[in-house]
Amino acid sequence: MEVLGESILVIGRVCTIIPLLLIITLFMGKRSIGELPVFDFIIIITLGSVAGADIAEPDVRHISIAVAIVTLGILQRVVSQLSIVFRWFGRMVTFEPTVIFHNGAFHIKNLKKIRYSLDNVLHMLREKDIFDLTEIDLAIIEANGRLTVLKKVEQQVVTKQDLGIHTSSAGMSLPVIVEGKIYPDVLSYRKRDEQWLAHELKKKGIASEQVFLATINRQNELQFSLKNKKEPQVPPLHH
């Protein structure tokens, strides 16, 4: 009977706490679900922890949990409103957008600052259907951690394909050098070897150790982003 009583208590708590969570989440607004800024993320994690403690721990006072959930919802709403009214406060409780690619080169200093690896960024670019870095004019990591890309003018709206002009595609650009490490299998796939790569690097007057990222496309054209190159001046962005 004791087990049955505890089970009924847990079921009762679930049936009351979930609707309350739903009401508070809807009260907090679409922004807290769709974008997840830092403070909203903390609030949602805390809401989950509080609700979990209420369901899993029958000894915890149910009314106290309900008060905590309502308080968290109101706090999130207040902070969101303050962020809108006072821009300085909004910048204080979240991240600034960060430019990571501009004028054909990665901004390595910014990548290190936000602790994003090159693999992370390449993966995010592929998710945006971008397989060739030459298509990009500007890439930004937004405050919520998502990647925003501005394509070059010739890649936007009206393309050569739209005008009926047939050109050979550059295809997918494959990383052949990543942070100084050469990938022979990529060269082999493109029917090239390390001797050819060394020759191409020599023509540019650079060594493989200087390369942050080098990609090769279907036409066997190389694009470089160097480690020690002067960081490109990036446009100032503020949210």
Side-chain angles (χ1 to χ4, degrees):
M1 291 298 293
E2 184 178 349
V3 174
L4 179 61
E6 287 187 2
S7 299
I8 293 173
L9 178 61
V10 169
I11 292 170
R13 287 186 172 220
V14 170
C15 291
T16 54
I17 212 69
I18 294 301
L20 180 59
L21 278 173
L22 176 61
I23 292 168
I24 292 301
T25 304
L26 292 174
F27 171 77
M28 286 163 59
K30 187 185 294 184
R31 172 176 172 269
S32 61
I33 300 173
E35 295 182 9
L36 281 185
V38 177
F39 187 79
D40 292 354
F41 175 77
I42 292 170
I43 290 291
I44 288 176
I45 291 295
T46 307
L47 279 173
S49 301
V50 170
D54 179 70
I55 293 169
E57 297 291 339
D59 294 335
V60 176
R61 293 186 63 188
H62 194 51
I63 188 64
S64 300
I65 295 296
V67 171
I69 289 174
V70 171
T71 302
L72 286 167
I74 294 173
L75 178 62
Q76 189 276 339
R77 194 67 177 263
V78 169
V79 170
S80 297
Q81 189 62 34
L82 288 174
S83 299
I84 295 170
V85 175
F86 303 107
R87 286 179 57 81
W88 63 266
F89 182 79
R91 289 195 297 269
M92 187 174 69
V93 297
T94 190
F95 298 110
E96 292 278 359
T98 304
V99 175
I100 60 167
F101 188 93
H102 185 53
N103 283 342
F106 279 101
H107 200 295
I108 303 172
K109 185 177 179 180
N110 280 355
L111 279 173
K112 291 180 178 179
K113 180 181 177 182
I114 61 176
R115 293 185 293 280
Y116 270 59
S117 71
L118 188 55
D119 291 333
N120 292 150
V121 175
L122 294 177
H123 171 74
M124 295 168 81
L125 287 170
R126 290 194 295 270
E127 288 184 327
K128 297 238 174 229
D129 297 325
I130 295 174
F131 296 89
D132 189 349
L133 297 178
T134 58
E135 297 179 15
I136 307 171
D137 185 38
L138 184 71
I140 303 163
I141 299 295
E142 301 290 356
N144 58 11
R146 294 178 184 174
L147 178 70
T148 301
V149 175
L150 174 66
K151 289 188 175 183
K152 292 181 178 177
V153 175
E154 58 268 26
Q155 300 291 335
Q156 297 179 16
V157 192
V158 180
T159 65
K160 290 181 179 180
Q161 184 179 8
D162 296 326
L163 297 175
I165 302 173
H166 299 288
T167 57
S168 59
S169 170
M172 179 177 179
S173 291
L174 301 174
V176 67
I177 304 177
V178 177
E179 298 188 28
K181 181 182 177 181
I182 299 173
Y183 290 96
D185 56 335
V186 175
L187 287 169
S188 177
Y189 179 77
R190 293 298 191 200
K191 296 180 172 54
R192 292 294 184 270
D193 54 26
E194 292 192 42
Q195 185 177 356
W196 172 85
L197 180 61
H199 177 70
E200 293 297 313
L201 291 171
K202 188 176 180 180
K203 285 198 301 185
K204 301 288 185 180
I206 56 179
S208 61
E209 294 78 13
Q210 296 175 270
V211 179
F212 180 66
L213 174 69
T215 59
I216 181 171
N217 63 19
R218 188 181 296 167
Q219 279 72 46
N220 293 321
E221 298 168 335
L222 291 171
Q223 184 188 20
F224 301 98
S225 185
L226 303 180
K227 292 179 182 177
N228 300 322
K229 184 180 178 181
K230 184 180 178 181
E231 295 284 0
Q233 185 176 6
V234 298
L237 294 174
H238 303 284
H239 59 69

PDB file of all heavy atoms in Angstrom, residues 163-187:
ATOM      1  N   LEU A 163      20.347  32.537 -65.325  1.00  0.00           N
ATOM      2  CA  LEU A 163      20.406  33.230 -66.608  1.00  0.00           C
ATOM      3  C   LEU A 163      20.657  32.279 -67.768  1.00  0.00           C
ATOM      4  O   LEU A 163      20.784  32.713 -68.922  1.00  0.00           O
ATOM      5  CB  LEU A 163      21.515  34.299 -66.563  1.00  0.00           C
ATOM      6  CG  LEU A 163      21.296  35.419 -65.533  1.00  0.00           C
ATOM      7  CD1 LEU A 163      22.510  36.330 -65.487  1.00  0.00           C
ATOM      8  CD2 LEU A 163      20.043  36.219 -65.846  1.00  0.00           C
ATOM      9  N   GLY A 164      20.762  30.993 -67.461  1.00  0.00           N
ATOM     10  CA  GLY A 164      20.983  30.009 -68.518  1.00  0.00           C
ATOM     11  C   GLY A 164      22.414  29.928 -68.981  1.00  0.00           C
ATOM     12  O   GLY A 164      22.697  29.408 -70.065  1.00  0.00           O
ATOM     13  N   ILE A 165      23.338  30.456 -68.191  1.00  0.00           N
ATOM     14  CA  ILE A 165      24.759  30.375 -68.532  1.00  0.00           C
ATOM     15  C   ILE A 165      25.337  29.131 -67.878  1.00  0.00           C
ATOM     16  O   ILE A 165      25.321  29.002 -66.658  1.00  0.00           O
ATOM     17  CB  ILE A 165      25.520  31.633 -68.054  1.00  0.00           C
ATOM     18  CG1 ILE A 165      24.903  32.875 -68.679  1.00  0.00           C
ATOM     19  CG2 ILE A 165      26.999  31.527 -68.377  1.00  0.00           C
ATOM     20  CD1 ILE A 165      25.463  34.176 -68.140  1.00  0.00           C
ATOM     21  N   HIS A 166      25.835  28.226 -68.680  1.00  0.00           N
ATOM     22  CA  HIS A 166      26.323  26.955 -68.158  1.00  0.00           C
ATOM     23  C   HIS A 166      27.821  27.032 -67.885  1.00  0.00           C
ATOM     24  O   HIS A 166      28.610  27.335 -68.776  1.00  0.00           O
ATOM     25  CB  HIS A 166      26.038  25.826 -69.142  1.00  0.00           C
ATOM     26  CG  HIS A 166      24.574  25.646 -69.415  1.00  0.00           C
ATOM     27  ND1 HIS A 166      23.697  25.110 -68.495  1.00  0.00           N
ATOM     28  CD2 HIS A 166      23.822  25.979 -70.502  1.00  0.00           C
ATOM     29  CE1 HIS A 166      22.480  25.090 -68.992  1.00  0.00           C
ATOM     30  NE2 HIS A 166      22.517  25.618 -70.212  1.00  0.00           N
ATOM     31  N   THR A 167      28.178  26.794 -66.655  1.00  0.00           N
ATOM     32  CA  THR A 167      29.589  26.768 -66.259  1.00  0.00           C
ATOM     33  C   THR A 167      29.846  25.497 -65.465  1.00  0.00           C
ATOM     34  O   THR A 167      28.946  24.934 -64.860  1.00  0.00           O
ATOM     35  CB  THR A 167      29.951  27.976 -65.365  1.00  0.00           C
ATOM     36  OG1 THR A 167      29.093  27.974 -64.230  1.00  0.00           O
ATOM     37  CG2 THR A 167      29.774  29.282 -66.141  1.00  0.00           C
ATOM     38  N   SER A 168      31.085  25.049 -65.479  1.00  0.00           N
ATOM     39  CA  SER A 168      31.436  23.845 -64.722  1.00  0.00           C
ATOM     40  C   SER A 168      31.490  24.177 -63.243  1.00  0.00           C
ATOM     41  O   SER A 168      32.009  25.223 -62.846  1.00  0.00           O
ATOM     42  CB  SER A 168      32.790  23.300 -65.177  1.00  0.00           C
ATOM     43  OG  SER A 168      33.786  24.272 -65.005  1.00  0.00           O
ATOM     44  N   SER A 169      30.927  23.295 -62.431  1.00  0.00           N
ATOM     45  CA  SER A 169      30.880  23.534 -60.993  1.00  0.00           C
ATOM     46  C   SER A 169      32.241  23.288 -60.357  1.00  0.00           C
ATOM     47  O   SER A 169      32.983  22.394 -60.768  1.00  0.00           O
ATOM     48  CB  SER A 169      29.849  22.593 -60.355  1.00  0.00           C
ATOM     49  OG  SER A 169      29.939  22.635 -58.953  1.00  0.00           O
ATOM     50  N   ALA A 170      32.567  24.134 -59.368  1.00  0.00           N
ATOM     51  CA  ALA A 170      33.811  23.912 -58.631  1.00  0.00           C
ATOM     52  C   ALA A 170      33.702  22.689 -57.736  1.00  0.00           C
ATOM     53  O   ALA A 170      34.690  22.147 -57.277  1.00  0.00           O
ATOM     54  CB  ALA A 170      34.151  25.144 -57.790  1.00  0.00           C
ATOM     55  N   GLY A 171      32.474  22.249 -57.502  1.00  0.00           N
ATOM     56  CA  GLY A 171      32.270  21.060 -56.682  1.00  0.00           C
ATOM     57  C   GLY A 171      32.593  21.311 -55.222  1.00  0.00           C
ATOM     58  O   GLY A 171      32.780  22.438 -54.786  1.00  0.00           O
ATOM     59  N   MET A 172      32.645  20.227 -54.494  1.00  0.00           N
ATOM     60  CA  MET A 172      32.923  20.317 -53.063  1.00  0.00           C
ATOM     61  C   MET A 172      34.412  20.547 -52.835  1.00  0.00           C
ATOM     62  O   MET A 172      35.258  19.823 -53.364  1.00  0.00           O
ATOM     63  CB  MET A 172      32.483  19.031 -52.377  1.00  0.00           C
ATOM     64  CG  MET A 172      32.754  19.018 -50.886  1.00  0.00           C
ATOM     65  SD  MET A 172      32.145  17.505 -50.111  1.00  0.00           S
ATOM     66  CE  MET A 172      32.633  17.796 -48.405  1.00  0.00           C
ATOM     67  N   SER A 173      34.742  21.565 -52.056  1.00  0.00           N
ATOM     68  CA  SER A 173      36.139  21.814 -51.687  1.00  0.00           C
ATOM     69  C   SER A 173      36.486  20.953 -50.479  1.00  0.00           C
ATOM     70  O   SER A 173      35.822  21.031 -49.449  1.00  0.00           O
ATOM     71  CB  SER A 173      36.355  23.290 -51.354  1.00  0.00           C
ATOM     72  OG  SER A 173      36.249  24.080 -52.511  1.00  0.00           O
ATOM     73  N   LEU A 174      37.519  20.146 -50.620  1.00  0.00           N
ATOM     74  CA  LEU A 174      37.919  19.233 -49.552  1.00  0.00           C
ATOM     75  C   LEU A 174      39.118  19.798 -48.801  1.00  0.00           C
ATOM     76  O   LEU A 174      40.066  20.300 -49.422  1.00  0.00           O
ATOM     77  CB  LEU A 174      38.290  17.866 -50.139  1.00  0.00           C
ATOM     78  CG  LEU A 174      37.196  17.157 -50.938  1.00  0.00           C
ATOM     79  CD1 LEU A 174      37.751  15.884 -51.573  1.00  0.00           C
ATOM     80  CD2 LEU A 174      36.009  16.828 -50.051  1.00  0.00           C
ATOM     81  N   PRO A 175      39.113  19.727 -47.470  1.00  0.00           N
ATOM     82  CA  PRO A 175      40.282  20.183 -46.705  1.00  0.00           C
ATOM     83  C   PRO A 175      41.469  19.252 -46.968  1.00  0.00           C
ATOM     84  O   PRO A 175      41.391  18.057 -46.709  1.00  0.00           O
ATOM     85  CB  PRO A 175      39.810  20.073 -45.249  1.00  0.00           C
ATOM     86  CG  PRO A 175      38.313  19.978 -45.313  1.00  0.00           C
ATOM     87  CD  PRO A 175      38.001  19.297 -46.603  1.00  0.00           C
ATOM     88  N   VAL A 176      42.540  19.834 -47.491  1.00  0.00           N
ATOM     89  CA  VAL A 176      43.736  19.039 -47.783  1.00  0.00           C
ATOM     90  C   VAL A 176      44.847  19.317 -46.766  1.00  0.00           C
ATOM     91  O   VAL A 176      45.706  18.466 -46.516  1.00  0.00           O
ATOM     92  CB  VAL A 176      44.214  19.295 -49.227  1.00  0.00           C
ATOM     93  CG1 VAL A 176      44.721  20.724 -49.390  1.00  0.00           C
ATOM     94  CG2 VAL A 176      45.273  18.290 -49.643  1.00  0.00           C
ATOM     95  N   ILE A 177      44.819  20.504 -46.147  1.00  0.00           N
ATOM     96  CA  ILE A 177      45.726  20.834 -45.041  1.00  0.00           C
ATOM     97  C   ILE A 177      44.892  21.468 -43.943  1.00  0.00           C
ATOM     98  O   ILE A 177      44.173  22.438 -44.187  1.00  0.00           O
ATOM     99  CB  ILE A 177      46.850  21.802 -45.459  1.00  0.00           C
ATOM    100  CG1 ILE A 177      47.658  21.263 -46.634  1.00  0.00           C
ATOM    101  CG2 ILE A 177      47.785  22.071 -44.273  1.00  0.00           C
ATOM    102  CD1 ILE A 177      48.742  22.217 -47.123  1.00  0.00           C
ATOM    103  N   VAL A 178      44.964  20.918 -42.751  1.00  0.00           N
ATOM    104  CA  VAL A 178      44.238  21.469 -41.610  1.00  0.00           C
ATOM    105  C   VAL A 178      45.230  21.712 -40.484  1.00  0.00           C
ATOM    106  O   VAL A 178      45.836  20.771 -39.968  1.00  0.00           O
ATOM    107  CB  VAL A 178      43.122  20.526 -41.124  1.00  0.00           C
ATOM    108  CG1 VAL A 178      42.433  21.104 -39.896  1.00  0.00           C
ATOM    109  CG2 VAL A 178      42.103  20.278 -42.231  1.00  0.00           C
ATOM    110  N   GLU A 179      45.428  22.992 -40.152  1.00  0.00           N
ATOM    111  CA  GLU A 179      46.375  23.397 -39.111  1.00  0.00           C
ATOM    112  C   GLU A 179      47.743  22.750 -39.324  1.00  0.00           C
ATOM    113  O   GLU A 179      48.347  22.204 -38.405  1.00  0.00           O
ATOM    114  CB  GLU A 179      45.808  23.079 -37.730  1.00  0.00           C
ATOM    115  CG  GLU A 179      44.519  23.846 -37.441  1.00  0.00           C
ATOM    116  CD  GLU A 179      44.051  23.684 -36.005  1.00  0.00           C
ATOM    117  OE1 GLU A 179      44.898  23.475 -35.134  1.00  0.00           O
ATOM    118  OE2 GLU A 179      42.836  23.784 -35.769  1.00  0.00           O
ATOM    119  N   GLY A 180      48.228  22.821 -40.572  1.00  0.00           N
ATOM    120  CA  GLY A 180      49.569  22.341 -40.904  1.00  0.00           C
ATOM    121  C   GLY A 180      49.663  20.870 -41.246  1.00  0.00           C
ATOM    122  O   GLY A 180      50.680  20.419 -41.757  1.00  0.00           O
ATOM    123  N   LYS A 181      48.613  20.087 -40.994  1.00  0.00           N
ATOM    124  CA  LYS A 181      48.642  18.643 -41.273  1.00  0.00           C
ATOM    125  C   LYS A 181      48.092  18.369 -42.667  1.00  0.00           C
ATOM    126  O   LYS A 181      46.994  18.790 -43.008  1.00  0.00           O
ATOM    127  CB  LYS A 181      47.821  17.888 -40.234  1.00  0.00           C
ATOM    128  CG  LYS A 181      47.820  16.373 -40.460  1.00  0.00           C
ATOM    129  CD  LYS A 181      46.955  15.650 -39.442  1.00  0.00           C
ATOM    130  CE  LYS A 181      46.919  14.155 -39.728  1.00  0.00           C
ATOM    131  NZ  LYS A 181      46.050  13.422 -38.761  1.00  0.00           N
ATOM    132  N   ILE A 182      48.881  17.622 -43.459  1.00  0.00           N
ATOM    133  CA  ILE A 182      48.490  17.279 -44.828  1.00  0.00           C
ATOM    134  C   ILE A 182      47.714  15.965 -44.830  1.00  0.00           C
ATOM    135  O   ILE A 182      48.076  15.011 -44.123  1.00  0.00           O
ATOM    136  CB  ILE A 182      49.732  17.149 -45.732  1.00  0.00           C
ATOM    137  CG1 ILE A 182      50.487  18.485 -45.787  1.00  0.00           C
ATOM    138  CG2 ILE A 182      49.346  16.698 -47.135  1.00  0.00           C
ATOM    139  CD1 ILE A 182      51.815  18.415 -46.513  1.00  0.00           C
ATOM    140  N   TYR A 183      46.655  15.908 -45.637  1.00  0.00           N
ATOM    141  CA  TYR A 183      45.853  14.696 -45.769  1.00  0.00           C
ATOM    142  C   TYR A 183      46.109  14.058 -47.136  1.00  0.00           C
ATOM    143  O   TYR A 183      45.499  14.461 -48.141  1.00  0.00           O
ATOM    144  CB  TYR A 183      44.370  15.013 -45.599  1.00  0.00           C
ATOM    145  CG  TYR A 183      44.004  15.387 -44.184  1.00  0.00           C
ATOM    146  CD1 TYR A 183      43.919  16.721 -43.799  1.00  0.00           C
ATOM    147  CD2 TYR A 183      43.775  14.411 -43.220  1.00  0.00           C
ATOM    148  CE1 TYR A 183      43.596  17.070 -42.486  1.00  0.00           C
ATOM    149  CE2 TYR A 183      43.450  14.743 -41.916  1.00  0.00           C
ATOM    150  CZ  TYR A 183      43.364  16.081 -41.562  1.00  0.00           C
ATOM    151  OH  TYR A 183      43.056  16.421 -40.272  1.00  0.00           O
ATOM    152  N   PRO A 184      47.003  13.047 -47.187  1.00  0.00           N
ATOM    153  CA  PRO A 184      47.349  12.406 -48.470  1.00  0.00           C
ATOM    154  C   PRO A 184      46.145  11.763 -49.154  1.00  0.00           C
ATOM    155  O   PRO A 184      46.095  11.695 -50.385  1.00  0.00           O
ATOM    156  CB  PRO A 184      48.384  11.347 -48.064  1.00  0.00           C
ATOM    157  CG  PRO A 184      48.928  11.809 -46.747  1.00  0.00           C
ATOM    158  CD  PRO A 184      47.784  12.479 -46.075  1.00  0.00           C
ATOM    159  N   ASP A 185      45.172  11.245 -48.376  1.00  0.00           N
ATOM    160  CA  ASP A 185      44.019  10.583 -48.989  1.00  0.00           C
ATOM    161  C   ASP A 185      43.178  11.561 -49.805  1.00  0.00           C
ATOM    162  O   ASP A 185      42.582  11.186 -50.827  1.00  0.00           O
ATOM    163  CB  ASP A 185      43.155   9.888 -47.930  1.00  0.00           C
ATOM    164  CG  ASP A 185      42.691  10.830 -46.824  1.00  0.00           C
ATOM    165  OD1 ASP A 185      43.374  11.839 -46.583  1.00  0.00           O
ATOM    166  OD2 ASP A 185      41.658  10.530 -46.193  1.00  0.00           O
ATOM    167  N   VAL A 186      43.142  12.843 -49.379  1.00  0.00           N
ATOM    168  CA  VAL A 186      42.424  13.862 -50.149  1.00  0.00           C
ATOM    169  C   VAL A 186      43.152  14.126 -51.467  1.00  0.00           C
ATOM    170  O   VAL A 186      42.529  14.229 -52.535  1.00  0.00           O
ATOM    171  CB  VAL A 186      42.281  15.166 -49.338  1.00  0.00           C
ATOM    172  CG1 VAL A 186      41.655  16.259 -50.193  1.00  0.00           C
ATOM    173  CG2 VAL A 186      41.457  14.924 -48.094  1.00  0.00           C
ATOM    174  N   LEU A 187      44.472  14.222 -51.392  1.00  0.00           N
ATOM    175  CA  LEU A 187      45.266  14.410 -52.606  1.00  0.00           C
ATOM    176  C   LEU A 187      45.074  13.241 -53.565  1.00  0.00           C
ATOM    177  O   LEU A 187      44.925  13.417 -54.780  1.00  0.00           O
ATOM    178  CB  LEU A 187      46.753  14.548 -52.241  1.00  0.00           C
ATOM    179  CG  LEU A 187      47.172  15.868 -51.583  1.00  0.00           C
ATOM    180  CD1 LEU A 187      48.577  15.756 -51.035  1.00  0.00           C
ATOM    181  CD2 LEU A 187      47.065  17.024 -52.569  1.00  0.00           C
TER     182      LEU A 187
END
